[in-house]
């Protein structure tokens, strides 16, 4: 019989933060109905991270455009960065990137994944300056 020690297993967690997006790509079939995390869900995520930090390899923020709900992401980071520092990741189209957001990404994130869409404006210089 094979016994797996769950203490050694690490997981990559993906959190869908919102169904909002500021793009309207012709090839995208996703319904953008504007839903986002409630305050209770944000706290539940924080609690989940604390209970499971030792099993989390990476924690990725995802959504149609997660930076549209940066305050939710900021809340989660501010309350968990001490246990997941440099294990955060994000997938973004970068269009709402600001200095404040850039500081968080640089300080706490291991990776930033960004989409390139020729139908919309993409500021390469802004992203690579981080």
């Amino acid at each position: 019989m094979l016994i797996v020690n769950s203490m050694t297993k690490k997981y990559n967690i993906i959190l869908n933060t919102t169904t909002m997006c500021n793009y309207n790509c012709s090839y995208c079939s996703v319904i953008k109905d504007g839903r986002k995390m409630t305050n209770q869900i944000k706290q539940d995520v924080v609690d989940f991270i604390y209970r499971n930090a030792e099993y989390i390899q990476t924690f990725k923020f995802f959504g149609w455009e997660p930076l549209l709900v940066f305050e939710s992401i900021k809340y989660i980071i501010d309350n968990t960065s001490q246990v997941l520092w440099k294990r955060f990741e994000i997938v973004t189209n970068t269009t709402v990137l600001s200095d404040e957001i850039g500081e968080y990404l640089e300080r706490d994130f291991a990776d930033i994944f960004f989409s390139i869409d020729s139908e919309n404006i993409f500021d390469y210089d802004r992203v690579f300056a981080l």
Side-chain angles (χ1 to χ4, degrees):
M1 172 164 51
L2 176 66
I3 299 176
V4 177
N5 181 351
S6 65
M7 298 296 285
T8 61
K9 181 73 174 163
K10 298 281 187 171
Y11 296 91
N12 298 312
I13 308 298
I14 299 174
L15 177 65
N16 190 352
T17 58
T18 185
T19 60
M20 298 183 326
C21 185
N22 56 339
Y23 275 178
N24 191 21
C25 302
S26 63
Y27 56 83
C28 182
S29 62
V30 173
I31 296 172
K32 301 169 192 106
D33 60 10
R35 288 180 287 160
K36 57 185 178 179
M37 292 185 292
T38 63
N39 289 336
Q40 182 61 53
I41 291 171
K42 289 186 282 190
Q43 187 58 51
D44 291 346
V45 169
V46 168
D47 295 342
F48 171 83
I49 289 172
Y50 266 96
R51 285 192 313 272
N52 298 288
E54 66 186 292
Y55 307 111
I56 299 173
Q57 179 72 36
T58 61
F59 192 93
K60 185 180 294 186
F61 294 98
F62 188 77
W64 308 157
E65 177 43 55
L67 292 181
L68 290 175
V69 292
F70 179 67
E71 288 305 315
S72 295
I73 293 170
K74 185 177 181 287
Y75 177 86
I76 293 168
I77 293 168
D78 287 348
N79 288 284
T80 63
S81 63
Q82 59 273 26
V83 294
L84 285 188
W85 184 72
K86 290 294 186 186
R87 288 192 267 168
F88 294 112
E89 298 177 343
I90 193 165
V91 179
T92 176
N93 65 30
T94 73
T95 57
V96 294
L97 203 56
S98 67
D99 290 339
E100 177 190 9
I101 293 170
E103 288 176 21
Y104 270 83
L105 298 181
E106 184 176 5
R107 186 188 74 202
D108 291 312
F109 281 68
D111 285 307
I112 303 167
F113 300 92
F114 54 90
S115 58
I116 298 174
D117 179 14
S118 61
E119 292 182 353
N120 296 284
I121 297 169
F122 185 83
D123 188 354
Y124 299 96
D125 294 334
R126 179 95 169 124
V127 173
F128 294 120
L130 289 177

